[in-house]
Amino acid sequence: HSCPIRPRTVPSRAPYPAPARARAHRPSPCAPRATMPQVPLVCHGHSRPIVAVEYSHVTPDGVFLISASKDGQPMLRDGDSGDWVGTFQGHKGCVWGATLNREATHAATASADFSARLWNAITGDCLRTFQHKHIVKSVSFSGDGSRLLTGGSEKLLRIYNLNAPEAEPYTMAGSASQIKTAQFIANDELILSSCAEDKGIRVWDVRTNTVVTTLSTESPVMSIEVSNDGKNMTTADGKNVTLWDLSNFTTVKKWTMDYDVSSASVSLKHKKFIAGGPDMWVHLHDMETGAEEQTNKGHHGPVHTVRFAPDQNSYCSGSEDGTIRIWQTVEPKDG
């Protein structure tokens, strides 16, 4: 699908129809809900496993969903409908991470082709390629969108100044193994990072280029999600899902599942959390009791990534089976 990304002024479609396999599949509105398992929107288009999904913030043009896949073709979708908006083309290897800036005007991707890329998210044009010396696993914008943070198999964090992109990046060394995920917090003065083979979450001070503390976990952290307001973090390690308070780096709540968790996301609005992993199911739990309220089946491979939408009324999952599924947090009212 070489269709360029649509201008934001067009309400609901790409300049010409997306390939049939990239369109979201909608269940019949007449399907009975009470006794039936939830039927999600199914988003096709990727030809290989999906390893990461991320929602944008709410923008004047709506909410967007970006996906990273081993097919090397990161995609942008409408976050509500799942409709395909466009594909960012140019990487020569698996894409391990994909993210949008706060306004969803720019995207960034991390790839096994030893590069991170900056994209215009409205036209789909690649604006800059940042070469690395090894696989790049993680990419994240600073809150103000002026800097880009990368990490990967070099065990280095790099911060690129997007206002002077040809300048050498600021580097932070000291990670014990491949960096799995890294994100700015605290007005972009601190960075959270986790490693693929080492327990714990490192908290870095950007100004002093040091690790100021390490938050302990039982297993290597597979997933870090920082809430849109920057106050909380949700992590997944082993069978644990943990909600943290980022003002003092304490545990708010920790739940231990009876299944392995690859990714988790919390909805404080609905007091629920979701978790996905190798068992191929997307689990919805009650925050207070930890009880499982819904077991969403449908993926045909391990679930690698789950995220609540910004309004938390829906959530998505990305799987080894190459599909994204969008689920409803609360059953829609009939009538």
Side-chain angles (χ1 to χ4, degrees):
H1 3 280
S2 56
C3 171
I5 287 182
R6 63 164 168 81
R8 291 287 167 81
T9 49
V10 181
S12 63
R13 65 180 62 215
Y16 38 87
R21 57 198 276 272
R23 293 192 195 118
H25 168 72
R26 279 181 184 70
S28 163
C30 303
R33 289 196 189 95
T35 56
M36 296 289 289
Q38 187 176 156
V39 181
L41 294 176
V42 182
C43 310
H44 298 278
H46 284 294
S47 59
R48 295 202 58 209
I50 292 164
V51 291
V53 290
E54 191 175 301
Y55 284 99
S56 72
H57 287 247
V58 177
T59 77
D61 299 303
V63 172
F64 296 89
L65 179 64
I66 193 168
S67 53
S69 168
K70 290 184 180 180
D71 64 11
Q73 306 275 320
M75 290 186 183
L76 190 69
R77 297 178 182 276
D78 180 291
D80 295 322
S81 67
D83 286 341
W84 179 80
V85 174
T87 300
F88 299 101
Q89 295 186 314
H91 277 299
K92 302 288 189 280
C94 299
V95 171
W96 289 106
T99 189
L100 293 159
N101 68 345
R102 194 170 285 269
E103 299 79 20
T105 55
H106 291 82
T109 50
S111 175
D113 65 9
F114 294 15
S115 78
R117 289 188 179 221
L118 175 69
W119 309 82
N120 181 319
I122 297 171
T123 65
D125 295 329
C126 179
L127 303 177
R128 177 130 335 230
T129 300
F130 299 105
Q131 290 298 333
H132 290 59
K133 296 186 176 71
H134 212 313
I135 293 165
V136 190
K137 295 284 284 195
S138 175
V139 64
S140 175
F141 284 101
S142 59
D144 64 5
S146 69
R147 289 177 288 170
L148 194 66
L149 169 67
T150 68
S153 295
E154 287 179 83
K155 308 178 194 174
L156 288 175
L157 293 169
R158 285 186 172 86
I159 301 173
Y160 293 90
N161 180 350
L162 299 182
N163 295 321
E166 61 293 323
E168 283 297 306
Y170 182 79
T171 59
M172 305 175 79
S175 295
S177 59
Q178 179 194 69
I179 294 166
K180 171 93 174 159
T181 180
Q183 291 195 39
F184 284 103
I185 59 165
N187 295 318
D188 305 330
E189 293 174 353
L190 301 177
I191 287 170
L192 299 167
S193 74
S194 72
C195 292
E197 292 156 34
D198 293 87
K199 302 173 188 176
I201 299 160
R202 286 176 171 79
V203 182
W204 305 75
D205 187 316
V206 177
R207 297 156 296 184
T208 59
N209 204 326
T210 55
V211 176
V212 290
T213 189
T214 300
L215 312 180
S216 79
T217 62
E218 293 174 22
S219 307
V221 173
M222 295 291 98
S223 157
I224 292 177
E225 178 189 48
V226 176
S227 60
N228 277 352
D229 61 12
K231 293 179 179 176
N232 297 101
M233 163 178 71
T234 306
T235 60
D237 75 283
K239 289 181 163 63
N240 302 310
V241 176
T242 310
L243 179 67
W244 306 77
D245 182 335
L246 290 181
S247 67
N248 53 16
F249 300 111
T250 56
T251 300
V252 178
K253 197 99 172 169
K254 179 179 170 182
W255 305 273
T256 300
M257 309 291 99
D258 55 8
Y259 54 89
D260 291 324
V261 183
S262 301
S263 181
S265 183
V266 162
S267 164
L268 291 174
K269 172 181 169 181
H270 294 295
K271 295 188 166 46
K272 299 181 192 299
F273 68 91
I274 48 172
D279 68 4
M280 302 192 262
W281 298 343
V282 182
H283 305 265
L284 179 73
H285 292 263
D286 177 82
M287 268 185 68
E288 303 302 322
T289 66
E292 184 160 349
E293 295 188 338
Q294 204 161 30
T295 307
N296 295 309
K297 303 179 180 181
H299 280 300
H300 302 293
V303 176
H304 296 309
T305 177
V306 294
R307 285 292 180 264
F308 273 105
D311 69 4
Q312 301 173 27
N313 293 332
S314 63
Y315 53 95
C316 72
S317 54
S319 165
E320 183 79 13
D321 66 14
T323 68
I324 297 168
R325 290 166 194 256
I326 298 176
W327 314 82
Q328 299 303 309
T329 310
V330 181
E331 286 294 330
K333 299 285 188 291
D334 285 320

